[in-house]
Amino acid sequence: MNYYEQYKNKLVPVEEAVLSIQSNETVAFAQLGSCPSAICENMTLLKGHATNVHTYLPVTTRNYPFMCEPEYKETFDHTCGFLMPCTRKGYKNGMVSPYPNDLHSGIPRWVEVNGDDVFITAVTPMDEHGYFCMPLSLIYERYFFEHAKRVIVEVNPRLPRVWGDTMIHISQVDMIVEAETAVEMLPESHPTEKEEIIGSYVASLVKDGDTIQLGWGGIPDAAAHALLSKHDLGIHSEMLCNSMVDLVEAGVITGKKKTYQPGMIVGTFAAGNQRLYDMLNNNPMVRLFRGDVNNDPLTVSRNDNFVAINSAINVDLTGQICAESIGSRQYSGAGGQFDMCYGALHSKGGRSIIALPATQKEGTISTITAQLTPGSAVTTCRNTIDYVVTEFGIAPLSGRNFRQRVDNLIAIAHPDFRAELRRQAQQLMLW
């Protein structure tokens, strides 16, 4: 079969691909580095052409007007599972409605309610066997792809080619757009002195031979730097991030002692700088797998000695974790935090760690509070967390009652807030 003839017959201008979307259809976009940026830039063409287009928006660092500008309110009905600056603006403007979900289980339910007419993703150029690679995100993409009535791909030669459950065949594609655009990236962080202290505490809880999960940001990067003295670590993570490259190049990551997919660096999506993407490109040690499998707590728990390392906005004195909202105002999303923490709970020798600075707003607000701010989402329940870490130390929670938890958490709060936290704990009868 002549795959290149099929390719030519399905190749269309970006405008034609966008205008194929009709009123009341449901459109899902691939996330982050797999986000089809040229198509997203042109989604504004649907104004006056269609109304009430239901979308599941990408997690993206870029600003796309159709997601957030009020003039497109009648055209689109947006859902987003994890808010970023652009979608926060759309949320504020009443255009984006956050979708509460655990990464491994939420999309099948959303599709059941809302449908799945069109799936759009960026891909690498087609190979001689007729396969494209959807290389940087499989958070929800495989499910959307398998259930969509139409699939549109945006071919970008700048994308790396990553192994795993990433392949799409030309026979499964309805329209092709070509667009060489910059790959979406997350910059390398520069941890502060406070974050380095927190990272060193986190690293002290990780043993040689453990399998770890990390995210993006100053504290996870600081923890990764502190792990450079460890040996034979493995990675089973929601996210593959910049700091993992340092660990790989230092020989810290071997995966030799992993009990699930030994020797493999496993993730659901990758987001970082060009150095990360170069490490991923055609690397047989790296595998990306669909989120509903990779992030399933039962899958995660197959890794013995699994250590989940995550952050939070605030923690209450019983150990409830809010990582996604400021009071009732949604700020980001649950992501895969609960998936990984619950998987660690059921891992033989597993540990779940929440790491955060003791204060925010230049020391004026304590992140450890007697109660979560009213309206806050409980991202991860208190039953699943083993340790909370700040720059003031480590608070063990596993196996501790309320009184012990209150004592341990107050001990790692900023000294300026400890007396008030103790007073509030007495008032709320947390003892």
Side-chain angles (χ1 to χ4, degrees), residues 107 116 119 131-134 137-148 164-169 172 288-292:
I107 290 306
D116 185 7
F119 172 62
Y131 283 95
F132 304 95
C133 176
M134 182 169 54
S137 181
L138 294 182
I139 301 171
Y140 313 122
E141 286 79 355
R142 290 305 308 189
Y143 195 89
F144 279 130
F145 166 69
E146 290 167 359
H147 291 81
D165 194 14
T166 56
M167 297 300 155
I168 297 176
H169 195 261
Q172 299 170 297
L288 288 186
F289 293 107
R290 54 194 299 155
D292 53 354

Side-chain angles (χ1 to χ4, degrees), residues 317-318 370-371 402-403 406 424-431:
L317 287 178
T318 67
Q371 295 179 304
F402 275 10
R403 180 177 293 109
V406 167
Q424 291 177 3
Q426 293 276 14
Q427 186 180 36
L428 294 167
M429 300 179 67
L430 295 181
W431 300 103

Side-chain angles (χ1 to χ4, degrees), residues 13 23 29 31 33 66 75 93 101 113 169-170 188-189 218 349-350 413-414:
S23 296
F29 295 89
Q31 311 285 301
F66 85 100
T75 307
N93 288 340
N101 71 107
V113 171
H169 195 261
I170 182 68
E188 190 168 346
S189 70
H414 192 285

Side-chain angles (χ1 to χ4, degrees), residues 13-243:
V14 64
E15 295 84 1
E16 183 177 335
V18 170
L19 292 173
S20 71
I21 298 167
Q22 302 299 312
S23 296
N24 302 312
E25 287 195 312
T26 299
V27 181
F29 295 89
Q31 311 285 301
L32 288 161
S34 289
C35 177
S37 59
I39 290 175
C40 284
E41 288 285 359
N42 282 275
M43 287 295 288
T44 54
L45 294 173
L46 287 175
K47 182 182 178 182
H49 171 80
T51 59
N52 201 35
V53 175
H54 304 278
T55 69
Y56 197 94
L57 292 177
V59 176
T60 177
T61 61
R62 293 174 176 166
N63 185 59
Y64 295 111
F66 85 100
M67 297 183 184
C68 60
E69 297 300 334
E71 64 184 288
Y72 302 104
K73 203 168 187 176
E74 299 303 316
T75 307
F76 299 102
D77 171 25
H78 295 311
T79 297
C80 192
F82 195 101
L83 298 180
M84 295 288 276
C86 179
T87 40
R88 278 184 210 125
K89 181 179 177 182
Y91 174 43
K92 183 178 179 180
N93 288 340
M95 297 179 62
V96 175
S97 185
Y99 174 52
N101 71 107
D102 293 321
L103 187 150
H104 82 281
S105 64
I107 290 306
R109 295 167 183 161
W110 191 86
V111 169
E112 183 180 347
V113 171
N114 298 281
D116 185 7
D117 295 306
V118 186
F119 172 62
I120 309 175
T121 182
V123 293
T124 63
M126 186 179 72
D127 67 17
E128 66 272 25
H129 305 293
Y131 283 95
F132 304 95
C133 176
M134 182 169 54
L136 292 177
S137 181
L138 294 182
I139 301 171
Y140 313 122
E141 286 79 355
R142 290 305 308 189
Y143 195 89
F144 279 130
F145 166 69
E146 290 167 359
H147 291 81
K149 296 173 184 175
R150 303 197 307 282
V151 174
I152 303 172
V153 299
E154 179 178 304
V155 177
N156 186 354
R158 297 192 190 184
L159 286 167
R161 199 170 182 89
V162 183
W163 292 34
D165 194 14
T166 56
M167 297 300 155
I168 297 176
H169 195 261
I170 182 68
S171 61
Q172 299 170 297
V173 170
D174 297 284
M175 285 184 168
I176 299 168
V177 170
E178 292 180 338
E180 182 170 351
T181 60
V183 180
E184 188 158 348
M185 297 189 186
L186 292 177
E188 190 168 346
S189 70
H190 300 284
T192 64
E193 182 179 357
K194 182 190 296 186
E195 289 169 337
E196 293 285 3
I197 293 169
I198 297 170
S200 67
Y201 281 127
V202 170
S204 73
L205 297 169
V206 177
K207 305 171 186 176
D208 290 344
D210 284 347
T211 294
I212 62 170
Q213 171 251 327
L214 284 171
W216 177 78
I219 292 175
D221 282 357
H225 297 158
L227 291 170
L228 287 170
S229 62
K230 303 292 182 179
H231 302 280
D232 293 326
L233 298 183
I235 292 176
H236 184 112
S237 192
E238 172 190 352
M239 177 182 187
L240 303 184
C241 57
N242 290 329
S243 58

